[in-house]
Amino acid sequence: MAMKPTKKKRLTWLPQDIIELILVRLPVSNLLRCRVVCKQWDGIIRDPQFTMAHLRRARHRPLLFFQRGRASGKSFPSEAVLFDEAWSPSTRDVPVIDPDDFLCASCNGLVCLYSSNSTIKIANLATGESMHLAKPVKYAPQDQSSFYSFGFSPATNEYKIVHFLPGQKLHPAGASFSVIQVYTLGDDKWRDIRTLEVVSLYCVKQSGVVNVDGAMYWLTHDEESNWRRAVISFDLRDECLELIRLPEVDFADPAFANPFCYWITEIDSKVSVAAVQARRDSLLARKLHIWTLDNKVEKSWTQKYSIELPALSVLGPHFIYGDKIIMHSRNGGIYCHELTSQRFTIDATKLVKLLDFSPRSYENTQSYMCVKSLVRLDAYKKAGMVRTRKRKEGWKLKKWEAWEHDRSKIEELWRSGHRIQQRMHEMAHVIGAAISLNLPAPPDQQNSPHRRLNWVEQRRVTDMLESHVDSLDAPWKVLVQAADAFSSESKKMTPAADQQRNEEESEAGPSRPKRKRKPSSRFDSSTWTT
């Protein structure tokens, strides 16, 4: 007996908790498209609890920021390059970053951007949402981007901007501050918090500020410390300062000089301090020591790594991501290397080149931790500190338009070259010729119609197009020869075909005259253009 087919039971709906477990595993780009599926999905994705759950699962990746400047006689705007989970650099510019912005901090997918205008910008790199906030001091001659930082307090669920206000009193190490100005997103004003004593700004300018577990940390001078450095902690919940002394360390290796460079950074969600020593016989060879703060209450430190860096330098303020370390060379290359153990030497044969940032200077290159998130800013846009975005002016208006024009020309040249390549393939197929052309297709403009190539991809595409044009000579000669042979063969076949047609017409009798066709120019070499 034949078995009767059974009706399959279909699940017409899923419980909301199951939908949330599925959606929380998707990247931000997919979630933004999922919001238009239905009202239920849109409500789930917009929920702040879902946003935080998705943020906890997200993985941090490098964000390389290149400050504006001049190189090789050309002006370059500020731009950023993001890396995905496969460590591939982005090819498009970041819309929220203007050409004269400076990156102050990155936290939970949001970035704090400084410019010479009277506002500070907070933006989400993944969603493109941004807002401008009034600076605490509109026109301060000593003000700069390194005096601002941005962080998150998990205890109060608040985002705060911190500004170190340069003071009139000088510290023995130089510029100093005695007032920290704090702004909480959503408030209507900045608040001043005075420090117990005058604090040096030198280390803040040199090594920056990191935000770890609801507190900000930076280095300062401390004559009583073995390193003559110490760490200051600023709790974002209580808004109070605390001094944390560095460990007692003996840099007694006679092959290396005393440490000359220090950073404060974050490794595995812990505050870390790095010191660099140079070999006495070669300034190119360095040793990198890293300590992590294991217990903030007991102020205990543990040495995490001791790494020899031959002819390479770390790229701060963040240079360790999971099991990899980011470094740069003075010739413009950025590399990564696996952290094989706590003590090892960088093996040049195992370096992986991420990108080439020349002709820009490594001094204007920074590395930050970045994560793509759904954190929304619309809840904070009603505050009195929010300002409307100003029109482009000055450096932006003149040089940015020229930069955009150059990128537009390169993208149009790429599309034109790809169309010509497709046409040549079609011609070769018709006449039976074999050619090899491998110019890749340009990115789909429908996905990002308003985003141009970033400068790293722009240079790569320019080199690729120049190389591709040079490689067209051989296929072009093949097509010309094949077209000439095809044309000669067609001429030989024409008299024989006419004679056979006349014989058939004489046997069949007179017929209706046929319309004359215009000669086709499909294979006329004069119509081919490159």
Side-chain angles (χ1 to χ4, degrees):
M1 293 179 61
M3 297 182 62
K4 294 182 180 181
T6 59
K7 293 183 179 180
K8 295 183 178 179
K9 294 182 179 180
R10 296 183 178 179
L11 191 61
T12 57
W13 62 275
L14 288 174
Q16 180 161 326
D17 55 347
I18 300 298
I19 296 176
E20 292 177 0
L21 290 175
I22 296 173
L23 293 178
V24 78
R25 288 167 168 77
L26 298 180
V28 172
S29 57
N30 291 346
L31 289 174
L32 294 177
R33 291 194 292 267
C34 288
R35 282 176 47 186
V36 300
V37 172
C38 62
K39 291 184 178 180
Q40 182 191 19
W41 287 22
D42 182 61
I44 293 174
I45 296 171
R46 286 178 174 270
D47 191 316
Q49 292 185 354
F50 178 86
T51 298
M52 295 307 297
H54 184 271
L55 187 60
R56 286 190 291 267
R57 294 180 59 90
R59 299 181 64 183
H60 289 82
R61 289 300 175 203
L63 164 65
L64 300 184
F65 184 79
F66 304 89
Q67 297 178 3
R68 73 180 188 188
R70 289 186 60 84
S72 302
K74 186 177 181 180
S75 296
F76 288 89
S78 296
E79 286 192 274
V81 176
L82 290 80
F83 288 82
D84 58 18
E85 293 187 356
W87 286 82
S88 298
S90 59
T91 60
R92 296 274 168 165
D93 65 350
V94 182
V96 298
I97 295 179
D98 288 325
D100 58 352
D101 283 341
F102 292 86
L103 184 58
C104 305
S106 173
C107 176
N108 289 353
L110 302 178
V111 292
C112 180
L113 297 163
Y114 172 94
S115 69
S116 57
N117 297 328
S118 59
T119 58
I120 291 289
K121 181 167 56 179
I122 304 296
N124 187 314
L125 296 178
T127 64
E129 188 181 12
S130 63
M131 66 178 184
H132 291 252
L133 305 169
K135 289 181 180 178
V137 181
K138 289 187 177 180
Y139 305 103
Q142 297 181 346
D143 203 25
Q144 55 184 277
S145 60
S146 60
F147 296 164
Y148 288 84
S149 192
F150 176 67
F152 177 72
S153 173
T156 59
N157 199 32
E158 294 176 327
Y159 290 93
K160 296 186 178 183
I161 304 174
V162 172
H163 174 233
F164 303 101
L165 180 63
Q168 300 297 328
K169 296 181 180 180
L170 291 179
H171 189 273
S176 62
F177 69 94
S178 59
V179 175
I180 298 178
Q181 297 178 304
V182 180
Y183 174 73
T184 304
L185 293 194
D187 286 355
D188 291 330
K189 63 179 181 179
W190 291 79
R191 291 173 287 103
D192 292 349
I193 298 175
R194 293 198 169 273
T195 61
L196 296 178
E197 58 184 12
V198 177
V199 184
S200 170
L201 271 172
Y202 173 78
C203 293
V204 173
K205 294 170 61 177
Q206 296 299 317
S207 65
V209 182
V210 296
N211 174 57
V212 181
D213 195 23
M216 290 186 180
Y217 300 85
W218 64 90
L219 289 173
T220 187
H221 282 265
D222 181 17
E223 295 297 331
E224 297 180 6
S225 172
N226 184 46
W227 288 8
R228 296 193 176 181
R229 297 287 194 281
V231 174
I232 293 182
S233 168
F234 180 73
D235 191 279
L236 293 178
R237 181 186 60 180
D238 302 330
E239 297 183 353
C240 58
L241 294 169
E242 181 182 3
L243 184 68
I244 303 174
R245 299 195 185 280
L246 293 173
E248 294 292 332
V249 180
D250 182 16
F251 297 105
D253 190 341
F256 291 86
N258 291 329
F260 67 93
C261 191
Y262 301 87
W263 284 283
I264 188 161
T265 184
E266 175 188 355
I267 300 176
D268 297 333
S269 300
K270 292 183 178 181
V271 181
S272 302
V273 174
V276 174
Q277 288 181 288
R279 288 190 64 91
R280 298 183 185 275
D281 56 353
S282 174
L283 293 177
L284 295 179
R286 299 174 177 87
K287 182 178 288 188
L288 174 67
H289 305 276
I290 301 176
W291 285 263
T292 59
L293 181 63
D294 289 335
N295 191 310
K296 183 178 178 180
V297 177
E298 298 179 0
K299 301 179 181 180
S300 59
W301 297 82
T302 301
Q303 185 165 8
K304 184 76 173 178
Y305 295 106
S306 180
I307 307 169
E308 290 196 26
L309 307 168
L312 292 170
S313 300
V314 294
L315 193 62
H318 295 92
F319 47 86
I320 289 183
Y321 301 85
D323 61 346
K324 291 182 173 59
I325 180 172
I326 303 291
M327 298 162 291
H328 73 86
S329 61
R330 293 183 177 270
N331 61 4
I334 294 181
Y335 305 85
C336 70
H337 192 285
E338 289 190 3
L339 298 170
T340 57
S341 62
Q342 290 186 340
R343 296 177 179 271
F344 69 98
T345 301
I346 295 294
D347 187 353
T349 62
K350 295 182 179 179
L351 288 173
V352 177
K353 189 171 185 178
L354 300 177
L355 56 85
D356 184 2
F357 64 88
S358 62
R360 294 202 177 192
S361 171
Y362 65 90
E363 296 176 350
N364 293 330
T365 305
Q366 299 168 301
S367 174
Y368 289 86
M369 285 187 177
C370 179
V371 61
K372 293 184 178 181
S373 74
L374 295 164
V375 176
R376 299 166 59 192
L377 297 173
D378 54 357
Y380 309 111
K381 290 184 177 179
K382 296 182 180 180
M385 296 293 294
V386 178
R387 299 290 184 266
T388 57
R389 181 180 181 182
K390 293 189 176 182
R391 64 180 180 86
K392 292 183 178 180
E393 57 185 358
W395 189 90
K396 263 189 194 176
L397 185 61
K398 297 178 181 178
K399 297 183 179 179
W400 181 241
E401 288 181 353
W403 179 260
E404 283 284 327
H405 179 68
D406 291 343
R407 290 198 287 192
S408 300
K409 286 176 58 178
I410 291 176
E411 292 189 35
E412 180 58 35
L413 182 60
W414 191 1
R415 287 190 289 269
S416 300
H418 190 259
R419 288 195 295 266
I420 293 171
Q421 174 178 273
Q422 289 179 317
R423 179 61 176 159
M424 292 179 68
H425 275 294
E426 293 173 0
M427 293 177 180
H429 177 72
V430 171
I431 62 180
I435 61 174
S436 176
L437 300 174
N438 57 358
L439 180 65
D444 184 9
Q445 286 294 106
Q446 294 181 354
N447 294 335
S448 52
H450 303 295
R451 293 183 60 186
R452 299 293 185 186
L453 300 176
N454 58 35
W455 67 274
V456 177
E457 183 69 4
Q458 179 182 346
R459 186 190 55 204
R460 189 191 71 83
V461 170
T462 302
D463 296 340
M464 178 182 65
L465 290 175
E466 292 177 353
S467 176
H468 188 73
V469 169
D470 294 339
S471 67
L472 286 178
D473 290 340
W476 178 254
K477 292 179 181 178
V478 171
L479 285 176
V480 171
Q481 294 174 0
D484 292 341
F486 184 85
S487 178
S488 300
E489 190 67 24
S490 299
K491 291 179 180 179
K492 292 180 182 179
M493 295 177 61
T494 299
D498 291 342
Q499 183 180 357
Q500 182 179 0
R501 185 169 58 252
N502 292 336
E503 292 177 355
E504 293 176 353
E505 290 178 354
S506 61
E507 293 178 0
S511 61
R512 183 177 60 183
K514 298 181 179 180
R515 295 176 58 187
K516 293 183 178 180
R517 296 182 179 178
K518 293 182 180 180
S520 174
S521 61
R522 184 175 184 180
F523 301 107
D524 183 5
S525 61
S526 63
T527 64
W528 301 350
T529 60
T530 58

